[in-house]
Amino acid sequence: MDNLQKTISISAPGKLLLFGEHAVVYGYPCIVSSVSDRLTVTIYESEKSGVEIQTPGVSDQRFIHAAIQEFEKRFSLKIDHCMLSTSSEFSSSFGFGSSSAVTVATMKALSLFTRKNLSQKELIDACHASVLSVQGVGSGFDVASSLYGGTILYEFGGKRIELLLMNLPGYSFVVGYTGEKADTVSIVKEVAEKREKYTEKVDRIFQAIGDIVLQAKTALEDGDATRLGILLNYNQEYLRDLGVSSEKLEILISVSKKAGALGAKLSGAGRGDCMIALVSNEKKSAVEDAIEKSGGTVMRVFLGVDGAKIASTDNQEELFIVVDKNDEVIGYRSRADCHSDKTLIHRSLDVVIFNDNGEILLQKRSMTKDTRPGYWGVSVGGHVSKGETYEDAAKREMKEELGVVLPVTTAEKFLFEYPHETEIDVVFTANSNGPFTPNTDEIDEVKFFSKNELSRKLLDPTFKLTELSYECLKRIKFL
Ligand code: MEV
């Protein structure tokens, strides 16, 4: 093979099904979130012929071999003279879909290593085919989640993939592991047999679950936690009817609800593995205690993290300013800490640059950013580092990202919560028609958008705007 890159490292997250398991195998939608446990695949060029595989933390190499074979078959080439290694943050007791994460990370790494640079759709198709070649069944929701990240509405084979904005400040999902290992493939086959025998009944259950998923999408986007809780409970009733719950799951679900969860259900194929409960911040520790007291293990993960991406180029040691809700400084913590702990509120800024036609400049974040790679965002965005004011940081970021320093006007200031981080954001506006010299380490593309053009673009599910940019543009009344 010509044209090889020497090393490429891709990390991919695990996943957690929120709504719609089993029905998704039969063409109904599901809602799935990525989780903060990640698995990294690195491919190095090597002198030796063949592919040497070193996989500490991945007990089952079948998914790696299958991904390589599928890639070779689809693109009629032989992967040779390289070494592939993995490193995993997944817990050994419960993996949150390590087989899909390793499949996605391997496929994307191969795509970049060979400079094939496959599209997301090509990657989904190749990953789904690869997983099917190993286990014979599966809707592909897990590889889609690992590839796209965030929270998505998904239909079999990637027929529909819609990024959902999870708008639930003050609420989160608690995840409880039953300690019982469930075999997804045999449960899916068992459900298929049941459907053969009782087609009408089982199809009615799937139809009802499909309806619940669509209602849950609306509730999620409207931030209606109460409704979402009720829908979790409904979904669980149908899964119980389908015969895929278990005594232990039922116990953990019931104690969670008694301890104040708004709703709870099993997550995944059932018969064991995990349950999820939607809780308010006030009830979270009571629900966690109830799960632990009943013999479950609380899995501490964040939902809605980035999908598969090149291992970051951002400096994880950079010190951010940590503040309280009133923006009073309380200390300094690293970027890595601030990006994984919601209680560490840190200062950030955005600059929205207008041109003389009233259009705004958006930037497409590079695939190597540690948060929201490949998303579109406002003209300039960043964090306030130790020793800087918001305005100093705005000027530094403008220089670093676009090669310009413009006078800025403060437009807005607000607290913004992601599922796994919290920021106080100041939005500045500025005026310029360019030219700009975007920093290619951070930005893939910049472009001016009119109001109409952007509203149209937002209807296209492949156009992804960061949640924070969306909020900024709403606040300055551009959206
Ligand atoms: C298993 O985690 C979820 C199922 O819906 C199977 C699948 O969609 O591949 C039961």
Side-chain angles (χ1 to χ4, degrees):
M1 283 180 301
D2 297 331
N3 229 4
L4 287 182
Q5 283 188 211
K6 290 221 166 332
T7 303
I8 191 89
S9 238
I10 299 290
S11 83
K15 53 80 189 136
L16 189 70
L17 251 171
L18 303 184
F19 289 94
E21 42 277 272
H22 290 292
V24 65
V25 179
Y26 298 87
Y28 294 95
C30 73
I31 296 178
V32 55
S33 255
S34 53
V35 299
S36 48
D37 287 353
R38 299 187 82 86
L39 183 143
T40 303
V41 168
T42 304
I43 303 183
Y44 313 84
E45 205 174 25
S46 133
E47 304 270 278
K48 283 201 251 155
S49 66
V51 186
E52 190 183 335
I53 297 177
Q54 288 185 357
T55 60
V58 180
S59 51
D60 192 348
Q61 286 195 354
R62 286 177 308 157
F63 289 93
I64 297 176
H65 289 293
I68 296 173
Q69 269 172 22
E70 189 61 41
F71 188 86
E72 289 182 333
K73 190 172 92 195
R74 283 182 179 239
F75 303 104
S76 309
L77 47 82
K78 182 100 195 102
I79 304 294
D80 201 2
H81 286 285
C82 63
M83 204 174 103
L84 184 151
S85 72
T86 59
S87 73
S88 170
E89 295 168 357
F90 284 74
S91 132
S92 54
S93 49
F94 181 74
F96 288 116
S98 58
S99 40
S100 43
V102 79
T103 302
V104 166
T106 303
M107 202 66 85
K108 193 168 168 112
L110 289 171
S111 155
L112 296 177
F113 189 74
T114 58
R115 299 226 163 105
K116 284 273 165 209
N117 299 343
L118 306 186
S119 67
Q120 295 288 77
K121 177 74 183 112
E122 287 172 309
L123 283 167
I124 286 267
D125 290 347
C127 290
H128 190 195
S130 166
V131 169
L132 285 177
S133 75
V134 178
Q135 57 184 37
V137 295
S139 61
F141 79 99
D142 45 1
V143 291
S145 174
S146 191
L147 191 58
Y148 280 79
T151 300
I152 57 171
L153 184 94
Y154 173 87
E155 278 181 21
F156 192 96
K159 203 168 125 215
R160 180 172 175 194
I161 297 174
E162 247 174 70
L163 194 78
L164 306 180
L165 284 179
M166 220 209 276
N167 176 22
L168 286 174
Y171 296 90
S172 56
F173 283 93
V174 168
V175 185
Y177 177 48
T178 55
E180 298 166 339
K181 261 271 122 297
D183 176 12
T184 300
V185 175
S186 59
I187 303 168
V188 170
K189 287 185 176 156
E190 208 183 292
V191 170
E193 280 161 23
K194 205 173 255 180
R195 183 170 179 263
E196 280 275 287
K197 248 179 158 165
Y198 309 105
T199 313
E200 214 177 299
K201 176 174 182 213
V202 173
D203 278 349
R204 237 183 294 124
I205 293 179
F206 289 157
Q207 169 93 52
I209 292 179
D211 287 347
I212 289 172
V213 170
L214 296 179
Q215 291 181 51
K217 169 185 184 294
T218 310
L220 257 183
E221 290 175 335
D222 292 350
D224 189 345
T226 308
R227 178 91 194 120
L228 213 52
I230 294 169
L231 292 167
L232 286 169
N233 294 338
Y234 284 166
N235 195 160
Q236 174 61 18
E237 280 174 30
Y238 284 109
L239 290 166
R240 194 182 300 128
D241 276 2
L242 199 59
V244 295
S245 195
S246 74
E247 209 182 313
K248 191 74 184 280
L249 279 167
E250 291 297 332
I251 292 171
L252 300 188
I253 288 168
S254 153
V255 295
S256 301
K257 292 200 281 189
K258 279 200 192 110
L262 296 174
K265 65 179 272 293
L266 66 85
S267 169
R271 296 278 163 72
D273 284 348
C274 284
M275 49 72 65
I276 52 173
L278 181 64
V279 298
S280 64
N281 289 349
E282 295 75 46
K283 298 282 182 193
K284 189 170 181 180
S285 55
V287 171
E288 288 178 345
D289 285 352
I291 291 175
E292 299 258 340
K293 277 203 190 102
S294 304
T297 308
V298 172
M299 312 290 287
R300 291 174 209 280
V301 283
F302 297 109
L303 302 190
V305 302
D306 291 327
K309 62 183 181 183
I310 297 174
S312 172
T313 50
D314 288 309
N315 173 10
Q316 300 299 324
E317 300 307 316
E318 184 182 351
L319 285 182
F320 287 174
I321 303 175
V322 177
V323 293
D324 65 14
K325 285 195 169 156
N326 302 316
D327 202 19
E328 298 292 335
V329 178
I330 49 180
Y332 305 95
R333 293 289 288 270
S334 70
R335 170 192 286 268
D337 288 346
C338 291
H339 281 170
S340 59
D341 184 342
K342 270 188 86 151
T343 63
L344 297 177
I345 304 173
H346 50 286
R347 286 181 174 169
S348 70
L349 72 292
D350 284 287
V351 184
V352 183
I353 300 177
F354 285 84
N355 66 14
D356 292 345
N357 299 325
E359 296 167 333
I360 54 157
L361 188 78
L362 295 188
Q363 59 156 284
K364 188 162 185 224
R365 295 164 67 81
S366 93
M367 290 309 290
T368 56
K369 293 299 290 174
D370 64 348
T371 55
R372 302 296 184 256
Y375 279 55
W376 285 85
V378 294
S379 325
V380 168
H383 295 95
V384 186
S385 293
K386 189 175 175 191
E388 286 180 323
T389 63
Y390 282 102
E391 192 166 331
D392 293 339
K395 295 204 163 141
R396 173 181 51 76
E397 292 284 356
M398 277 192 280
K399 181 93 188 117
E400 283 174 11
E401 296 191 5
L402 299 177
V404 292
V405 181
L406 305 169
V408 291
T409 309
T410 308
E412 283 286 333
K413 182 176 189 176
F414 58 92
L415 183 100
F416 190 76
E417 278 186 59
Y418 284 99
H420 50 290
E421 68 171 307
T422 313
E423 299 180 338
I424 289 196
D425 193 63
V426 170
V427 188
F428 295 99
T429 55
N431 289 88
S432 170
N433 295 321
F436 306 103
T437 40
N439 173 349
T440 50
D441 283 346
E442 305 210 353
I443 299 171
D444 282 350
E445 187 186 341
V446 292
K447 186 175 168 343
F448 277 108
F449 287 82
S450 69
K451 265 189 189 182
N452 283 343
E453 201 180 349
L454 184 59
S455 306
R456 266 199 315 278
K457 270 281 180 202
L458 288 172
L459 299 174
D460 172 358
T462 61
F463 180 90
K464 295 182 289 184
L465 187 68
T466 67
E467 296 89 330
L468 180 58
S469 298
Y470 193 80
E471 185 64 29
C472 291
L473 295 180
K474 258 187 13 204
R475 284 182 181 256
I476 63 163
K477 309 223 167 3
F478 197 83
L479 281 178

